[in-house]
Amino acid sequence: IEESSMLREFNKLCKEKTLFEIYTDAADTNTFGVGLILACDEEFYILNCVDKYGFYDGVTCALIADVYRISTDTVYLKEISKLADYNKVSLEDKTSYCDNLIIGFLNRIKNEKRICAIELCESDCDDVYGRITEVDSTQEIIKIATVDSHGQNDGITVIDIKSVSEVYYRTRYTERL
């Protein structure tokens, strides 16, 4: 299988440990995230994120296919990097993932027992919030003890892993739930 151009760039950024801007919302081309690539495979990437104030803002695992632009060495990134240094933010992460990146990432969240947000079917919204209780790679499902917008228990949800397009956790928002 031939490696896509974007995947080559992700692999390069992962090796170089370079802070970069990532654009995924084609409907709003002025919106982007900032972070450091931790890992990638043919389908997904894992990004340690920084917010616009230079503070740590969680970890995201999302589809490479949704990325239409990446930028490095911008003036904005230089300023964010200064803020992150001032805020003593470290984006390095020694976590190793299995060959199937999404499975490894979901297991990491499950083991840490943290609330995560999951986007399904490239909906561009957070479809499910909760704690992952089971990752069954054989059946290709995950079970989640869901929570509502106030962090209150709201039942159990079973999701087909193939429908997951983005997962994030340890953000300021998910930590408040």
Side-chain angles (χ1 to χ4, degrees), residues 32-43:
F32 58 91
V34 172
L36 187 75
I37 287 285
L38 300 178
C40 62
D41 63 15
E42 293 78 25
E43 193 173 8

Side-chain angles (χ1 to χ4, degrees), residues 127-139:
D127 297 293
V128 180
Y129 291 99
R131 286 183 181 82
I132 297 172
T133 59
E134 182 180 340
V135 178
D136 186 334
S137 57
T138 306
Q139 299 287 326

Side-chain angles (χ1 to χ4, degrees), residues 7 10 20 22-24 36-49 60-67 101 105 165-167:
L7 179 55
F10 272 87
F20 72 106
I22 184 166
Y23 296 78
T24 59
L36 187 75
I37 287 285
L38 300 178
C40 62
D41 63 15
E42 293 78 25
E43 193 173 8
F44 287 93
Y45 64 89
I46 298 177
L47 182 73
N48 245 356
C49 303
T60 297
C61 181
L63 291 169
I64 291 175
D66 289 346
V67 179
L101 209 58
F105 189 70
S165 48
E166 184 172 0
V167 182

Side-chain angles (χ1 to χ4, degrees), residues 59-61 105 115-117 126 129 166-171 174:
V59 187
T60 297
C61 181
F105 189 70
I115 291 177
C116 66
D126 302 330
Y129 291 99
E166 184 172 0
V167 182
Y168 62 87
Y169 82 117
R170 295 178 65 193
T171 67
T174 58

Side-chain angles (χ1 to χ4, degrees), residues 59-61 105-110 112-119 126-133 135 142-148 159 164 166-171 173-177:
V59 187
T60 297
C61 181
F105 189 70
L106 293 168
N107 275 314
R108 174 182 176 179
I109 297 169
K110 180 188 88 164
E112 290 185 21
K113 296 178 175 48
R114 292 186 181 262
I115 291 177
C116 66
I118 300 176
E119 174 191 286
D126 302 330
D127 297 293
V128 180
Y129 291 99
R131 286 183 181 82
I132 297 172
T133 59
V135 178
I142 52 178
K143 290 185 181 176
I144 301 169
T146 54
V147 296
D148 63 17
I159 296 173
V164 174
E166 184 172 0
V167 182
Y168 62 87
Y169 82 117
R170 295 178 65 193
T171 67
Y173 182 74
T174 58
E175 293 292 291
R176 278 183 263 167
L177 290 178

Side-chain angles (χ1 to χ4, degrees), residues 18-21 32-36 48-57 71 73-91:
T18 302
L19 196 66
F20 72 106
E21 299 170 6
F32 58 91
V34 172
L36 187 75
N48 245 356
C49 303
V50 181
D51 69 12
K52 63 184 178 182
Y53 304 107
F55 289 105
Y56 176 75
D57 198 24
S71 297
D73 300 319
T74 66
V75 172
Y76 181 80
L77 287 172
K78 290 174 182 148
E79 296 302 316
I80 289 295
S81 184
K82 287 177 191 173
L83 288 170
D85 289 345
Y86 178 79
N87 294 326
K88 296 178 178 33
V89 172
S90 172
L91 296 175

